[in-house]
mmCIF file of all heavy atoms in Angstrom:
data_model
loop_
_atom_site.group_PDB
_atom_site.id
_atom_site.type_symbol
_atom_site.label_atom_id
_atom_site.label_comp_id
_atom_site.label_asym_id
_atom_site.label_seq_id
_atom_site.Cartn_x
_atom_site.Cartn_y
_atom_site.Cartn_z
ATOM 1 N N LEU A 96 -155.880 -119.269 19.451
ATOM 2 C CA LEU A 96 -155.294 -120.352 18.632
ATOM 3 C C LEU A 96 -153.876 -120.572 19.140
ATOM 4 O O LEU A 96 -153.475 -121.751 19.309
ATOM 5 C CB LEU A 96 -155.347 -119.988 17.228
ATOM 6 C CG LEU A 96 -156.731 -119.845 16.597
ATOM 7 C CD1 LEU A 96 -156.620 -119.395 15.170
ATOM 8 C CD2 LEU A 96 -157.499 -121.211 16.720
ATOM 9 N N ILE A 97 -153.036 -119.540 19.346
ATOM 10 C CA ILE A 97 -151.709 -119.668 19.828
ATOM 11 C C ILE A 97 -151.640 -120.394 21.119
ATOM 12 O O ILE A 97 -150.820 -121.371 21.313
ATOM 13 C CB ILE A 97 -150.985 -118.329 19.892
ATOM 14 C CG1 ILE A 97 -150.867 -117.714 18.518
ATOM 15 C CG2 ILE A 97 -149.595 -118.420 20.533
ATOM 16 C CD1 ILE A 97 -150.445 -116.205 18.521
ATOM 17 N N ASP A 98 -152.551 -120.104 22.024
ATOM 18 C CA ASP A 98 -152.676 -120.703 23.343
ATOM 19 C C ASP A 98 -153.020 -122.186 23.253
ATOM 20 O O ASP A 98 -152.651 -122.919 24.131
ATOM 21 C CB ASP A 98 -153.655 -119.981 24.243
ATOM 22 C CG ASP A 98 -153.202 -118.621 24.674
ATOM 23 O OD1 ASP A 98 -151.994 -118.320 24.524
ATOM 24 O OD2 ASP A 98 -154.047 -117.930 25.272
ATOM 25 N N LYS A 99 -153.718 -122.581 22.127
ATOM 26 C CA LYS A 99 -154.000 -124.020 21.921
ATOM 27 C C LYS A 99 -152.880 -124.770 21.246
ATOM 28 O O LYS A 99 -153.012 -125.918 21.001
ATOM 29 C CB LYS A 99 -155.291 -124.102 21.033
ATOM 30 C CG LYS A 99 -156.535 -123.604 21.766
ATOM 31 C CD LYS A 99 -157.675 -123.594 20.864
ATOM 32 C CE LYS A 99 -158.915 -123.132 21.453
ATOM 33 N NZ LYS A 99 -160.139 -122.990 20.533
ATOM 34 N N GLY A 100 -151.817 -124.086 20.934
ATOM 35 C CA GLY A 100 -150.588 -124.753 20.317
ATOM 36 C C GLY A 100 -150.649 -124.735 18.786
ATOM 37 O O GLY A 100 -149.753 -125.367 18.219
ATOM 38 N N VAL A 101 -151.531 -123.989 18.216
ATOM 39 C CA VAL A 101 -151.539 -123.865 16.747
ATOM 40 C C VAL A 101 -150.247 -123.124 16.236
ATOM 41 O O VAL A 101 -149.981 -122.020 16.856
ATOM 42 C CB VAL A 101 -152.790 -123.119 16.246
ATOM 43 C CG1 VAL A 101 -152.740 -122.943 14.773
ATOM 44 C CG2 VAL A 101 -154.096 -124.002 16.637
ATOM 45 N N LYS A 102 -149.601 -123.607 15.306
ATOM 46 C CA LYS A 102 -148.397 -122.962 14.772
ATOM 47 C C LYS A 102 -148.662 -122.256 13.509
ATOM 48 O O LYS A 102 -149.281 -122.796 12.556
ATOM 49 C CB LYS A 102 -147.267 -123.978 14.547
ATOM 50 C CG LYS A 102 -146.554 -124.466 15.843
ATOM 51 C CD LYS A 102 -145.282 -125.211 15.461
ATOM 52 C CE LYS A 102 -144.481 -125.474 16.703
ATOM 53 N NZ LYS A 102 -143.133 -126.062 16.482
ATOM 54 N N PHE A 103 -148.237 -121.003 13.420
ATOM 55 C CA PHE A 103 -148.388 -120.222 12.262
ATOM 56 C C PHE A 103 -147.006 -120.196 11.490
ATOM 57 O O PHE A 103 -145.985 -119.924 12.047
ATOM 58 C CB PHE A 103 -148.672 -118.777 12.588
ATOM 59 C CG PHE A 103 -150.093 -118.596 13.127
ATOM 60 C CD1 PHE A 103 -150.443 -119.072 14.468
ATOM 61 C CD2 PHE A 103 -151.092 -117.949 12.446
ATOM 62 C CE1 PHE A 103 -151.694 -118.897 14.905
ATOM 63 C CE2 PHE A 103 -152.361 -117.767 12.936
ATOM 64 C CZ PHE A 103 -152.684 -118.278 14.180
ATOM 65 N N TYR A 104 -147.042 -120.499 10.177
ATOM 66 C CA TYR A 104 -145.824 -120.557 9.329
ATOM 67 C C TYR A 104 -146.066 -119.457 8.239
ATOM 68 O O TYR A 104 -146.907 -119.474 7.400
ATOM 69 C CB TYR A 104 -145.749 -121.905 8.606
ATOM 70 C CG TYR A 104 -145.388 -122.972 9.611
ATOM 71 C CD1 TYR A 104 -146.375 -123.675 10.186
ATOM 72 C CD2 TYR A 104 -144.114 -123.343 9.821
ATOM 73 C CE1 TYR A 104 -146.201 -124.712 11.106
ATOM 74 C CE2 TYR A 104 -143.786 -124.394 10.756
ATOM 75 C CZ TYR A 104 -144.866 -125.049 11.326
ATOM 76 O OH TYR A 104 -144.567 -126.110 12.238
ATOM 77 N N ALA A 105 -145.116 -118.402 8.291
ATOM 78 C CA ALA A 105 -145.242 -117.246 7.419
ATOM 79 C C ALA A 105 -144.398 -117.398 6.215
ATOM 80 O O ALA A 105 -143.381 -118.019 6.193
ATOM 81 C CB ALA A 105 -144.819 -115.986 8.286
ATOM 82 N N SER A 106 -144.858 -116.664 5.174
ATOM 83 C CA SER A 106 -144.056 -116.316 4.014
ATOM 84 C C SER A 106 -144.041 -114.715 3.930
ATOM 85 O O SER A 106 -144.956 -114.138 4.436
ATOM 86 C CB SER A 106 -144.570 -116.905 2.675
ATOM 87 O OG SER A 106 -145.898 -116.521 2.486
ATOM 88 N N LEU A 107 -142.984 -114.227 3.330
ATOM 89 C CA LEU A 107 -142.815 -112.763 3.322
ATOM 90 C C LEU A 107 -143.580 -112.146 2.063
ATOM 91 O O LEU A 107 -143.332 -112.607 0.920
ATOM 92 C CB LEU A 107 -141.301 -112.417 3.242
ATOM 93 C CG LEU A 107 -140.534 -112.806 4.495
ATOM 94 C CD1 LEU A 107 -138.994 -112.479 4.304
ATOM 95 C CD2 LEU A 107 -141.030 -112.107 5.760
ATOM 96 N N GLY A 108 -144.325 -111.116 2.343
ATOM 97 C CA GLY A 108 -144.937 -110.343 1.262
ATOM 98 C C GLY A 108 -144.182 -108.984 1.082
ATOM 99 O O GLY A 108 -143.197 -108.723 1.745
ATOM 100 N N ASN A 109 -144.655 -108.231 0.083
ATOM 101 C CA ASN A 109 -143.952 -106.986 -0.174
ATOM 102 C C ASN A 109 -144.091 -105.890 0.856
ATOM 103 O O ASN A 109 -143.369 -104.966 0.877
ATOM 104 C CB ASN A 109 -144.464 -106.450 -1.598
ATOM 105 C CG ASN A 109 -145.956 -106.243 -1.583
ATOM 106 O OD1 ASN A 109 -146.673 -107.146 -1.569
ATOM 107 N ND2 ASN A 109 -146.432 -105.005 -1.642
ATOM 108 N N HIS A 110 -145.002 -106.098 1.773
ATOM 109 C CA HIS A 110 -145.118 -105.153 2.901
ATOM 110 C C HIS A 110 -144.401 -105.584 4.144
ATOM 111 O O HIS A 110 -144.447 -104.959 5.209
ATOM 112 C CB HIS A 110 -146.630 -104.889 3.226
ATOM 113 C CG HIS A 110 -147.350 -103.976 2.246
ATOM 114 N ND1 HIS A 110 -147.158 -102.616 2.195
ATOM 115 C CD2 HIS A 110 -148.149 -104.260 1.180
ATOM 116 C CE1 HIS A 110 -147.934 -102.174 1.273
ATOM 117 N NE2 HIS A 110 -148.427 -103.104 0.564
ATOM 118 N N ASP A 111 -143.803 -106.785 4.091
ATOM 119 C CA ASP A 111 -143.137 -107.406 5.236
ATOM 120 C C ASP A 111 -141.595 -107.092 5.268
ATOM 121 O O ASP A 111 -140.920 -107.208 4.272
ATOM 122 C CB ASP A 111 -143.299 -108.900 5.271
ATOM 123 C CG ASP A 111 -144.798 -109.313 5.452
ATOM 124 O OD1 ASP A 111 -145.476 -108.590 6.220
ATOM 125 O OD2 ASP A 111 -145.191 -110.276 4.754
ATOM 126 N N ALA A 112 -141.086 -106.789 6.396
ATOM 127 C CA ALA A 112 -139.698 -106.544 6.610
ATOM 128 C C ALA A 112 -138.934 -107.942 6.739
ATOM 129 O O ALA A 112 -139.539 -108.839 7.367
ATOM 130 C CB ALA A 112 -139.394 -105.678 7.801
ATOM 131 N N SER A 113 -137.843 -108.025 6.091
ATOM 132 C CA SER A 113 -137.081 -109.299 6.118
ATOM 133 C C SER A 113 -136.825 -109.790 7.550
ATOM 134 O O SER A 113 -136.787 -110.939 7.812
ATOM 135 C CB SER A 113 -135.793 -109.121 5.318
ATOM 136 O OG SER A 113 -134.940 -110.306 5.511
ATOM 137 N N ASN A 114 -136.640 -108.808 8.467
ATOM 138 C CA ASN A 114 -136.330 -109.153 9.924
ATOM 139 C C ASN A 114 -137.513 -109.944 10.586
ATOM 140 O O ASN A 114 -137.256 -110.543 11.579
ATOM 141 C CB ASN A 114 -136.069 -107.982 10.760
ATOM 142 C CG ASN A 114 -134.665 -107.466 10.494
ATOM 143 O OD1 ASN A 114 -133.802 -108.145 9.980
ATOM 144 N ND2 ASN A 114 -134.381 -106.160 10.923
ATOM 145 N N GLN A 115 -138.618 -109.961 9.955
ATOM 146 C CA GLN A 115 -139.733 -110.769 10.576
ATOM 147 C C GLN A 115 -139.455 -112.276 10.492
ATOM 148 O O GLN A 115 -140.109 -113.018 11.215
ATOM 149 C CB GLN A 115 -141.024 -110.425 9.816
ATOM 150 C CG GLN A 115 -141.626 -109.066 10.077
ATOM 151 C CD GLN A 115 -142.862 -108.741 9.245
ATOM 152 O OE1 GLN A 115 -143.530 -109.655 8.706
ATOM 153 N NE2 GLN A 115 -143.136 -107.373 9.102
ATOM 154 N N ARG A 116 -138.421 -112.603 9.761
ATOM 155 C CA ARG A 116 -138.097 -114.069 9.690
ATOM 156 C C ARG A 116 -137.495 -114.515 11.100
ATOM 157 O O ARG A 116 -137.401 -115.707 11.316
ATOM 158 C CB ARG A 116 -137.064 -114.315 8.643
ATOM 159 C CG ARG A 116 -135.640 -113.759 8.912
ATOM 160 C CD ARG A 116 -134.818 -113.932 7.550
ATOM 161 N NE ARG A 116 -133.432 -113.613 7.736
ATOM 162 C CZ ARG A 116 -132.869 -112.388 7.714
ATOM 163 N NH1 ARG A 116 -133.692 -111.312 7.485
ATOM 164 N NH2 ARG A 116 -131.612 -112.181 7.868
ATOM 165 N N PHE A 117 -137.178 -113.590 11.947
ATOM 166 C CA PHE A 117 -136.604 -113.882 13.259
ATOM 167 C C PHE A 117 -137.760 -113.881 14.364
ATOM 168 O O PHE A 117 -137.418 -114.238 15.502
ATOM 169 C CB PHE A 117 -135.631 -112.915 13.762
ATOM 170 C CG PHE A 117 -134.379 -112.892 12.757
ATOM 171 C CD1 PHE A 117 -134.039 -111.877 11.977
ATOM 172 C CD2 PHE A 117 -133.493 -114.020 12.812
ATOM 173 C CE1 PHE A 117 -132.986 -111.872 11.137
ATOM 174 C CE2 PHE A 117 -132.377 -114.031 11.820
ATOM 175 C CZ PHE A 117 -132.164 -112.959 11.055
ATOM 176 N N TYR A 118 -138.955 -113.526 13.994
ATOM 177 C CA TYR A 118 -140.073 -113.441 14.946
ATOM 178 C C TYR A 118 -140.513 -114.863 15.272
ATOM 179 O O TYR A 118 -140.970 -115.585 14.334
ATOM 180 C CB TYR A 118 -141.231 -112.633 14.364
ATOM 181 C CG TYR A 118 -142.419 -112.562 15.173
ATOM 182 C CD1 TYR A 118 -142.389 -112.007 16.425
ATOM 183 C CD2 TYR A 118 -143.660 -112.810 14.646
ATOM 184 C CE1 TYR A 118 -143.506 -111.879 17.234
ATOM 185 C CE2 TYR A 118 -144.755 -112.791 15.372
ATOM 186 C CZ TYR A 118 -144.706 -112.291 16.697
ATOM 187 O OH TYR A 118 -145.902 -112.154 17.426
ATOM 188 N N ALA A 119 -140.353 -115.265 16.462
ATOM 189 C CA ALA A 119 -140.542 -116.693 16.851
ATOM 190 C C ALA A 119 -141.898 -117.327 16.409
ATOM 191 O O ALA A 119 -141.973 -118.467 15.954
ATOM 192 C CB ALA A 119 -140.275 -116.906 18.296
ATOM 193 N N LEU A 120 -142.961 -116.537 16.528
ATOM 194 C CA LEU A 120 -144.351 -117.040 16.254
ATOM 195 C C LEU A 120 -144.603 -117.211 14.743
ATOM 196 O O LEU A 120 -145.598 -117.757 14.457
ATOM 197 C CB LEU A 120 -145.316 -116.068 16.884
ATOM 198 C CG LEU A 120 -145.386 -116.159 18.471
ATOM 199 C CD1 LEU A 120 -146.432 -115.145 18.995
ATOM 200 C CD2 LEU A 120 -145.602 -117.539 18.974
ATOM 201 N N PHE A 121 -143.688 -116.710 13.899
ATOM 202 C CA PHE A 121 -143.787 -116.990 12.472
ATOM 203 C C PHE A 121 -143.148 -118.236 12.036
ATOM 204 O O PHE A 121 -143.238 -118.661 10.898
ATOM 205 C CB PHE A 121 -143.339 -115.849 11.627
ATOM 206 C CG PHE A 121 -144.246 -114.608 11.581
ATOM 207 C CD1 PHE A 121 -143.834 -113.419 11.058
ATOM 208 C CD2 PHE A 121 -145.522 -114.704 12.091
ATOM 209 C CE1 PHE A 121 -144.700 -112.290 10.922
ATOM 210 C CE2 PHE A 121 -146.417 -113.589 12.003
ATOM 211 C CZ PHE A 121 -146.009 -112.428 11.445
ATOM 212 N N ASN A 122 -142.360 -118.877 12.916
ATOM 213 C CA ASN A 122 -141.769 -120.238 12.719
ATOM 214 C C ASN A 122 -140.953 -120.229 11.430
ATOM 215 O O ASN A 122 -140.882 -121.313 10.826
ATOM 216 C CB ASN A 122 -142.855 -121.254 12.712
ATOM 217 C CG ASN A 122 -143.475 -121.519 14.145
ATOM 218 O OD1 ASN A 122 -142.695 -122.068 14.963
ATOM 219 N ND2 ASN A 122 -144.626 -121.066 14.293
ATOM 220 N N MET A 123 -140.202 -119.202 11.113
ATOM 221 C CA MET A 123 -139.374 -119.192 9.911
ATOM 222 C C MET A 123 -137.885 -119.542 10.231
ATOM 223 O O MET A 123 -137.053 -119.698 9.383
ATOM 224 C CB MET A 123 -139.384 -117.833 9.287
ATOM 225 C CG MET A 123 -140.791 -117.379 8.843
ATOM 226 S SD MET A 123 -140.951 -115.695 8.113
ATOM 227 C CE MET A 123 -140.193 -116.001 6.501
ATOM 228 N N ASN A 124 -137.615 -119.603 11.605
ATOM 229 C CA ASN A 124 -136.194 -119.974 11.992
ATOM 230 C C ASN A 124 -135.121 -119.116 11.381
ATOM 231 O O ASN A 124 -134.054 -119.664 10.998
ATOM 232 C CB ASN A 124 -135.986 -121.487 11.719
ATOM 233 C CG ASN A 124 -136.927 -122.362 12.555
ATOM 234 O OD1 ASN A 124 -137.199 -122.086 13.804
ATOM 235 N ND2 ASN A 124 -137.627 -123.262 11.903
ATOM 236 N N GLY A 125 -135.357 -117.883 11.110
ATOM 237 C CA GLY A 125 -134.390 -116.971 10.590
ATOM 238 C C GLY A 125 -134.199 -117.025 9.136
ATOM 239 O O GLY A 125 -133.280 -116.401 8.613
ATOM 240 N N GLU A 126 -135.038 -117.815 8.441
ATOM 241 C CA GLU A 126 -134.866 -118.000 6.931
ATOM 242 C C GLU A 126 -135.965 -117.369 6.212
ATOM 243 O O GLU A 126 -137.147 -117.411 6.585
ATOM 244 C CB GLU A 126 -134.840 -119.484 6.669
ATOM 245 C CG GLU A 126 -133.843 -120.323 7.361
ATOM 246 C CD GLU A 126 -132.365 -119.963 7.048
ATOM 247 O OE1 GLU A 126 -132.205 -119.395 5.902
ATOM 248 O OE2 GLU A 126 -131.477 -120.289 7.722
#
């Protein structure tokens, strides 16, 4: 899916580290 250009937009859960907001493929733009 990523190779086809599908974009994944994440929200943070209780098991997620805040730093995942910087992971480019989650498209959070550091927020």
Side-chain angles (χ1 to χ4, degrees):
L96 296 174
I97 294 169
D98 288 349
K99 292 174 183 175
V101 175
K102 282 194 169 185
F103 290 71
Y104 292 87
S106 60
L107 295 177
N109 55 292
H110 285 281
D111 296 319
S113 174
N114 281 344
Q115 289 175 20
R116 71 189 189 276
F117 298 111
Y118 178 56
L120 292 178
F121 281 173
N122 289 291
M123 301 177 74
N124 297 314
E126 303 293 342

